[in-house]
Amino acid sequence: MTTSHQTPRPAWARALREARTDLGWDVHRLAVELLRAAGPEATATTESLTRRIREWEAGRSTIRERYRLLLARVLQADAEVFAEQPVGHGDAARVRAITSNVIALDEMTGGADLLPMAVRTARSAHQAACTSGGAEMASAAAEALQVAGWLAFDADEHLLARRLTSASVLTARAGGDRGSELFALAQLAMQDAHEHRPDQARQVCEHTLDEQLSPRVRGLFELRLARAQGHEGTPGRAVETLHRARSRLRSEAQDRDPPWVWWITEAELAWHEAMIHADNGAWGQAVELFESALHGRPATYHRGALNDASHLAHALVRVGLWQDAQEVLATTVAPMLGHIRSGRTHTLLVQVQQLAHQAKAPASVRELTDHAASVQ
């Protein structure tokens, strides 16, 4: 008689198999769903991913952070159950890796499904930073909190977004990470502008602009200030401030520039200028700028493209350009619905639907807005 000494599968491997079988899926179906969630940037084949899943479930291969996040989204589970161990005091590098992958997936698929996991990771990292007192963990936790705050903002959960972003400011300050603190402050100003609190946004921006900043960081806060000025009913002044920000943001990067300034592109600037005009009812001027933003996005920036296209459709409906609105809704918005999940974009599309019906738009346009508003 012989006794088997086979090593038991680790808990994360068992959790993966249980989550899959609970849905009644075989390994091939899970591979298909993962590839669908990853979108056009997926590099694996169904066959290779099927083999990889079998390796994961057998415990012979660990799951990289990016795949853990995709699995969490597809299986509607907590990504941490697929990890070898939870975030701990010495895991600043791992927290940063998770945050980096969250950012990449947010650009491709939107952040609605990523938010619960991102919040848990950020809070675990924050707790670890408070316990250890280490500057590196504090910096990683501040970044995780800021990104989770962004996801909450995109999910239209503004109170949660404000709490997370404020916690990022305080955590970065405690850890001496001025770059992360500035980014979180800029995000607070963004939230203030979105919620039509221009006085608060302006106060944050003007206080920060009194400091010594690199040109590109100064440009970011001038961009936020321009949006606040637009909300205050001074669009001419707002556009002037935005043009000043654009000039600074076009300057060459400096060694003291934080790494997060990468996302401030010409397309982003065009979108903000369009929003200044839209906030003041100049919808005709906004149309051209929203078009410029949409066509200037990188091919991989799917969430941004859907947001741009939805704002463009909104502006076109406002000015009654029905054929153009129909084309944008049919060729750009509709194909991304379901794949990209953004709460604030969905809220906007519901507004577009209501406006189209109020304006008695052609039936084809109303049907497209009805469909857009129905897909969460």
Side-chain angles (χ1 to χ4, degrees), residues 32 34 36 49 51 54 130 140 158-159 163 177 184 204 208 210-211 219 236 256 258 301 331 336 338 373:
V32 169
L34 283 174
R36 182 177 292 128
L49 193 50
R51 290 194 297 271
R54 290 197 177 102
C130 291
H158 296 294
L159 181 58
R163 287 173 177 168
D177 186 345
V204 170
T208 307
D210 283 340
E211 303 177 25
R256 62 190 180 118
Y301 193 23
T331 63
M336 289 192 280

Side-chain angles (χ1 to χ4, degrees), residues 50-370:
T50 299
R51 290 194 297 271
R52 186 174 297 180
I53 293 168
R54 290 197 177 102
E55 291 290 308
W56 293 337
E57 292 192 358
R60 292 191 293 266
S61 175
T62 56
I63 308 172
R64 288 185 298 158
E65 300 289 356
R66 189 180 181 96
Y67 276 115
R68 287 201 306 111
L69 298 177
L70 282 171
L71 285 166
R73 180 183 184 199
V74 167
L75 297 172
Q76 293 296 296
D78 185 349
E80 285 298 292
V81 303
F82 306 135
E84 293 178 85
Q85 58 185 10
V87 171
H89 294 171
D91 290 339
R94 182 174 163 213
V95 172
R96 291 195 187 279
I98 294 173
T99 301
S100 176
N101 282 294
V102 166
I103 293 169
L105 287 174
D106 169 53
E107 292 173 8
M108 290 192 303
T109 67
D113 294 326
L114 300 170
L115 177 59
M117 182 280 307
V119 171
R120 283 191 290 270
T121 299
R123 286 175 172 165
S124 295
H126 184 227
Q127 183 177 14
C130 291
T131 304
S132 69
E136 187 60 27
M137 179 56 85
S139 178
E143 183 183 27
L145 286 161
Q146 177 265 314
V147 170
W150 157 256
L151 294 177
F153 169 79
D154 190 54
D156 238 11
E157 297 189 23
H158 296 294
L159 181 58
L160 175 61
R162 190 169 294 278
R163 287 173 177 168
L164 290 164
T165 308
S166 297
S168 176
V169 171
L170 296 175
T171 304
R173 189 175 296 161
D177 186 345
R178 182 56 175 161
S180 292
E181 182 184 351
L182 286 170
F183 196 13
L185 284 169
Q187 186 162 287
L188 279 177
M190 173 199 71
Q191 293 172 14
D192 287 332
H194 182 81
E195 296 179 62
H196 296 272
R197 299 176 178 177
D199 53 333
Q200 294 184 31
R202 180 167 38 78
Q203 184 177 14
V204 170
C205 294
E206 290 178 344
H207 177 75
T208 307
L209 287 167
D210 283 340
E211 303 177 25
Q212 291 294 320
L213 304 170
S214 72
R216 289 173 65 80
V217 173
R218 181 169 294 276
L220 171 59
F221 280 92
E222 287 174 337
L223 177 63
R224 300 302 189 208
L225 178 60
R227 289 297 307 281
Q229 291 169 337
H231 281 299
E232 289 175 329
T234 55
R237 185 182 178 194
V239 170
E240 182 181 336
T241 302
L242 186 140
H243 287 169
R244 188 165 61 248
R246 179 181 277 117
S247 177
R248 295 190 200 281
L249 292 165
R250 283 174 173 168
S251 64
E252 291 186 10
Q254 299 183 358
D255 290 341
R256 62 190 180 118
D257 281 332
W260 42 257
V261 297
W262 64 268
W263 63 270
I264 313 168
T265 63
E266 289 293 332
E268 189 72 21
L269 290 164
W271 184 86
H272 281 283
E273 187 169 355
M275 288 299 295
I276 289 171
H277 292 300
D279 289 338
N280 286 274
W283 294 100
Q285 291 176 274
V287 164
E288 184 176 348
L289 289 160
F290 282 134
E291 286 180 336
S292 178
L294 175 60
H295 297 310
R297 298 292 185 186
T300 56
Y301 193 23
H302 304 307
R303 178 185 48 71
L306 176 60
N307 187 58
D308 291 340
S310 300
H311 277 283
L312 176 56
H314 183 202
L316 290 166
V317 167
R318 287 277 187 178
V319 296
L321 291 174
W322 305 125
Q323 186 172 349
D324 291 340
Q326 179 175 326
E327 182 178 354
V328 170
L329 288 163
T331 63
T332 307
V333 173
M336 289 192 280
L337 296 173
H339 177 64
I340 309 296
R341 296 194 62 231
S342 166
R344 66 189 175 114
T345 302
H346 178 257
T347 297
L348 175 62
L349 289 170
V350 171
Q351 294 175 14
V352 175
Q353 176 199 32
Q354 294 169 348
L355 286 168
H357 282 269
Q358 290 169 6
K360 295 183 170 52
S364 56
V365 174
R366 295 200 307 272
E367 288 171 5
L368 284 166
T369 63
D370 288 346

